[in-house]
Amino acid sequence: MTTAEPDPSAMQAVIDRPSAKRPGFAALWQRWGGDHPNFISLATTALLLVALVIIFTLVNERFVSWRNITIVLNQSASFVILGVGMTFVITTKGIDLSIGAIVALVGTLLGLFIVTWQWPVLPAVLLGLLAGGLCGAFNGICVARFRVPPLIVTLGTMALFRGISFVLLGHQILFDFPDSMLWLARARIFGLSPTIYLAILVTAWGWFFLNKTRTGQAMIAVGGNEEAARLAGIDVARIKFIAYTLMGLLSALATMVWVARMNSVQAAMAYGIEFHAIALVVLGGTSLFGGRGLIMGSLMGAVILGILENGLVIVGLSSFVQQVVLGFIFIAVVAFRTLQFREGQVTR
Amino acid sequence: MSTAVSPQRNGGARDRAPEGSWRNLLRLHPDTGVLLSSLAILAVLIIVFSFTSEQFFSTTVLVNILNQMAIYIIAGVGMTLVMTSGGIDISIGSIIGVTATLMGILLIDAGVPALLAVLGALVVGAICGAFNGFLVAVVRVPPIIVTLGTFTLFRGIAYMLGEGRVYMRFAEPLPWLGDGRILAVPVPVYIALLTVIGGQFFLTSTRLGQRITAVGGNEEAARLAGIDVVRTKFLTYVIMGSLAGLTTVVIVARQDAAQAVMGTGIELHVIAAVILGGTSLFGGRGLILGTVLGALILGVLNTGLLLSGVVQFWQLVAIGILLIVVVALRIAREGTEGK
């Protein structure tokens, strides 16, 4: 700007200003993307999914075999279910670190009911779901009613629920569940196990609940701006309570899938799955800062993690290296999403 | 500087009670009140356990508790700083895993003298902390998410480096750090004591320490007051990392072994100690002495339950309940009085 001579290209740039007449494609895209941030997030997640499939197929063509696809989907099913619950919680600007412990507690109870005491499967499963719901409700009461930060509550209940599991079971491993329990993972309906249909059902319901019901919309409002939501007449405590209770219930449901697949339970089971559940939600584009939940994104996130784990095994990496790769990808995605979020904040 | 920090807490002092009364005194010195409440919890636990177990009330048990809690206190000082800045670090157990593996490799595979291995642990811990600090301070990812990621990442790196090996039987000066005694008191207790004194001085009397409190109290106000928020947060995590390294040194020295799984689950105890000690969950108030009390509460709880013949697994249950109840009570109290 300090040059005395008028720069012809600068003149041209002034004439061609996007706002003048014909907005350039980039500008259009940016404006459209600004109006549809959810679509952009979902599209980038889908792109990542496709890229991974292509890469692993190039490495080993058996990757896209029907057999391997069903393996990946089966492995991802419980995380899809957990992801729906975690999407609710993170949408309300919360977090739940206790889900691994809830799974362990529900699994422990199932083991005691079905294997040790030889109860019929149905009442045991129903009681297991009830127990998961109660665990979630306990988190919810502490967060919503006593206003303890979710991080601290669920760190505490992570120890509490895991502790109870160990008190009940010690270091025993219970296995040999009856076939009616294993049906969920062993049966085939049109070539796919019931767990996959269950995961799809839960996802469809989760999408409907979050986007089409009043409670779901209230979750988004509470996460976006709690004070504004309260002033708009939303019962913030009730909404948060519901989010954590659903998370507990869905954790119990995921436990059923888990037990059906593994055919064994122990107090130390499902250690560290909260990292996976949170990672897939973040991969899917749900905002870490609350107020935006993408159930379909979480679904893709769960499949991406499933593909990565499966693919890295096929490539021949040890589980230690896998952990490092997953950690790096998680951090890269989170950093990317955070920068995206900050940018959006500045421009709007 | 201290006046710039404290009005947030003291500003709302509505003097309903007469001058010089207990309530008034506590309102003007909120930290003292919190420390007293932690002390009360500790006293109650000690009284209860001296009834349930005959051996509980002895110097041996006291020294044992102090010795066991040394690692939680050392890491707790770092965690107090992080939480005072409004953050959290759940990756410390994994940082301990990385530094322990590294110490094993340095001492056994490379045959490095103990002093260098200790320095190596501190430096690598600081580097891990710097990675956390960069993501939290510069990229501005929420601390819980960053450290959840590095929790997995660092542990994976530890396993990659260690490949399941257990390094054992180190040359003499190192084990002394773990089980040596000076005047009948174990060396780790002295290390913890020095860390606490250093931490207390750092937090209350150095410029960086006071900046950490200011940033945690009100980040925007701190920025407007000319504090480099990014640098302050970054350094907080670096300090946390190097103190995790120091914790590793004590753990490795005490067990006379080093392996990649070390430190698993320690974050729960350390965060519990800090919170039981009264450091604010929302930043802006850090009580190093409170953290010592918090660690002692955990130690007394563990040892007391053990001596009373309760199954070991109940400790997890007790810590979880205690953590939630104490925090709920403090929030209920501060919600009505503090703000």
Side-chain angles (χ1 to χ4, degrees):
Chain A
M1 285 302 118
T2 48
T3 47
E5 289 282 306
D7 182 3
S9 68
M11 293 289 286
Q12 196 61 35
V14 169
I15 294 164
D16 280 356
R17 250 194 332 224
S19 62
K21 231 179 201 171
R22 285 176 50 224
F25 176 74
L28 258 182
W29 173 246
Q30 217 164 26
R31 194 194 300 161
W32 189 84
D35 291 342
H36 302 82
N38 291 0
F39 179 82
I40 301 291
S41 291
L42 288 176
T44 48
T45 313
L47 220 60
L48 187 61
L49 185 60
V50 173
L52 277 178
V53 171
I54 293 175
I55 291 172
F56 284 126
T57 312
L58 288 179
V59 173
N60 189 330
E61 61 199 13
R62 265 184 306 177
F63 181 78
V64 283
S65 65
W66 175 248
R67 196 179 137 67
N68 197 45
I69 289 173
T70 51
I71 288 177
V72 170
L73 290 180
N74 261 330
Q75 282 174 346
S76 310
S78 57
F79 282 109
V80 171
I81 295 170
L82 289 170
V84 171
M86 191 62 88
T87 309
F88 294 156
V89 170
I90 293 185
T91 301
T92 66
K93 213 172 184 173
I95 199 152
D96 192 340
L97 299 180
S98 71
I99 59 171
I102 295 181
V103 169
L105 182 54
V106 174
T108 298
L109 290 176
L110 277 182
L112 286 177
F113 293 160
I114 298 176
V115 177
T116 310
W117 300 335
Q118 299 285 327
W119 287 12
V121 168
L122 192 65
V125 166
L126 288 179
L127 272 182
L129 289 174
L130 180 70
L134 285 178
C135 288
F138 183 76
N139 283 335
I141 287 174
C142 293
V143 170
R145 173 69 186 78
F146 299 116
R147 287 183 290 160
V148 181
L151 176 64
I152 304 298
V153 171
T154 56
L155 201 68
T157 52
M158 184 167 111
L160 177 60
F161 299 150
R162 182 75 69 182
I164 295 174
S165 313
F166 271 111
V167 168
L168 290 173
L169 214 52
H171 288 298
Q172 288 182 75
I173 300 177
L174 299 179
F175 51 94
D176 263 347
F177 282 84
D179 286 340
S180 48
M181 185 73 214
L182 306 180
W183 174 84
L184 209 51
R186 304 270 163 97
R188 289 288 177 272
I189 304 172
F190 302 120
L192 294 174
S193 69
T195 52
I196 294 175
Y197 296 103
L198 183 64
I200 293 173
L201 266 179
V202 169
T203 305
W205 168 78
W207 182 87
F208 179 81
F209 180 77
L210 191 60
N211 294 300
K212 299 294 170 194
T213 70
R214 194 172 285 190
T215 313
Q217 291 292 297
M219 278 181 187
I220 297 176
V222 167
N225 188 335
E226 193 171 319
E227 187 57 20
R230 199 180 58 76
L231 292 175
I234 293 174
D235 187 345
V236 173
R238 182 175 150 270
I239 297 299
K240 286 189 179 177
F241 174 78
I242 291 174
Y244 287 91
T245 308
L246 286 175
M247 175 81 257
L249 210 56
L250 289 170
S251 303
L253 199 60
T255 314
M256 307 306 159
V257 174
W258 191 292
V259 172
R261 207 160 63 83
M262 302 295 193
N263 192 15
S264 78
V265 295
Q266 53 180 320
M269 72 191 276
Y271 182 81
I273 60 165
E274 50 280 352
F275 168 71
H276 272 242
I278 294 168
L280 69 90
V281 171
V282 174
L283 267 171
T286 293
S287 171
L288 286 170
F289 305 92
R292 198 172 67 144
L294 302 179
I295 298 282
M296 291 303 160
S298 298
L299 173 68
M300 285 192 277
V303 177
I304 288 177
L305 283 190
I307 287 178
L308 265 177
E309 290 199 328
N310 179 275
L312 293 177
V313 171
I314 287 184
V315 173
L317 292 182
S318 75
S319 64
F320 304 148
V321 183
Q322 280 177 46
Q323 199 176 345
V324 174
V325 172
L326 283 181
F328 260 121
I329 291 179
F330 175 72
I331 287 169
V333 170
V334 165
F336 175 71
R337 296 271 193 226
T338 306
L339 291 174
Q340 230 179 6
F341 172 79
R342 300 282 180 213
E343 204 173 282
Q345 251 192 344
V346 171
T347 52
R348 252 179 277 169
Chain B
M1 183 47 87
S2 64
T3 47
V5 171
S6 45
Q8 239 218 330
R9 301 198 303 269
N10 296 345
R14 286 153 285 174
D15 295 76
R16 260 179 262 109
E19 286 288 323
S21 80
W22 257 106
R23 292 180 70 84
N24 215 15
L25 203 66
L26 287 186
R27 191 171 286 140
L28 291 174
H29 301 278
D31 293 0
T32 317
V34 174
L35 284 178
L36 281 176
S37 70
S38 303
L39 208 57
I41 299 174
L42 186 60
V44 168
L45 283 178
I46 290 177
I47 291 171
V48 168
F49 285 128
S50 51
F51 277 110
T52 57
S53 159
E54 289 174 2
Q55 307 115 297
F56 185 78
F57 225 70
S58 67
T59 29
T60 332
V61 170
L62 176 71
V63 170
N64 255 334
I65 289 177
L66 283 174
N67 195 15
Q68 277 171 17
M69 288 304 114
I71 54 171
Y72 299 123
I73 292 175
I74 297 168
V77 169
M79 190 65 81
T80 308
L81 299 178
V82 169
M83 295 189 67
T84 305
S85 80
I88 196 155
D89 189 343
I90 58 173
S91 73
I92 54 168
S94 303
I95 296 181
I96 289 173
V98 172
T99 45
T101 313
L102 195 93
M103 277 185 79
I105 292 174
L106 283 178
L107 287 164
I108 304 288
D109 292 353
V112 159
L115 185 66
L116 270 181
V118 169
L119 272 180
L122 296 183
V123 170
V124 171
I127 292 173
C128 292
F131 188 67
N132 283 334
F134 173 78
L135 288 163
V136 170
V138 180
V139 190
R140 291 197 289 166
V141 181
I144 169 69
I145 301 294
V146 170
T147 55
L148 197 67
T150 52
F151 172 86
T152 303
L153 178 65
F154 292 154
R155 184 67 69 188
I157 292 176
Y159 282 126
M160 256 171 69
L161 290 174
E163 290 168 343
R165 277 170 296 182
V166 182
Y167 299 92
M168 283 188 296
R169 283 188 280 282
F170 301 118
E172 197 23 68
L174 189 66
W176 178 79
L177 283 179
D179 62 7
R181 283 176 184 246
I182 304 172
L183 301 174
V185 177
V187 176
V189 177
Y190 289 101
I191 300 179
L193 189 68
L194 285 178
T195 314
V196 167
I197 294 172
Q200 175 71 16
F201 176 78
F202 173 75
L203 187 60
T204 56
S205 309
T206 68
R207 189 171 286 191
L208 183 58
Q210 289 176 341
R211 282 179 176 168
I212 290 174
T213 309
V215 166
N218 186 335
E219 190 170 326
E220 188 55 23
R223 201 180 56 76
L224 292 175
I227 294 175
D228 188 341
V229 173
V230 173
R231 180 170 164 276
T232 307
K233 282 190 175 178
F234 177 77
L235 289 176
T236 311
Y237 286 87
V238 174
I239 296 169
M240 172 78 257
S242 58
L243 283 176
L246 185 60
T247 311
T248 311
V249 172
V250 175
I251 296 177
V252 167
R254 181 180 292 161
Q255 303 194 356
D256 200 10
Q259 55 177 323
V261 298
M262 276 179 167
T264 305
I266 195 177
E267 59 280 350
L268 171 74
H269 293 84
V270 174
I271 293 171
V274 173
I275 290 172
L276 291 177
T279 292
S280 168
L281 299 168
F282 310 102
R285 182 182 70 202
L287 302 176
I288 302 275
L289 294 179
T291 301
V292 177
L293 288 178
L296 290 180
I297 290 173
L298 291 184
V300 166
L301 194 66
N302 272 350
T303 312
L305 286 177
L306 201 70
L307 289 179
S308 312
V310 177
V311 185
Q312 201 193 352
F313 300 128
W314 280 103
Q315 291 167 12
L316 267 185
V317 177
I319 291 175
I321 292 176
L322 192 66
L323 183 62
I324 295 172
V325 169
V326 168
V327 171
L329 287 178
R330 281 213 170 114
I331 285 181
R333 196 180 147 274
E334 284 176 15
T336 52
E337 281 191 29
K339 285 174 187 171

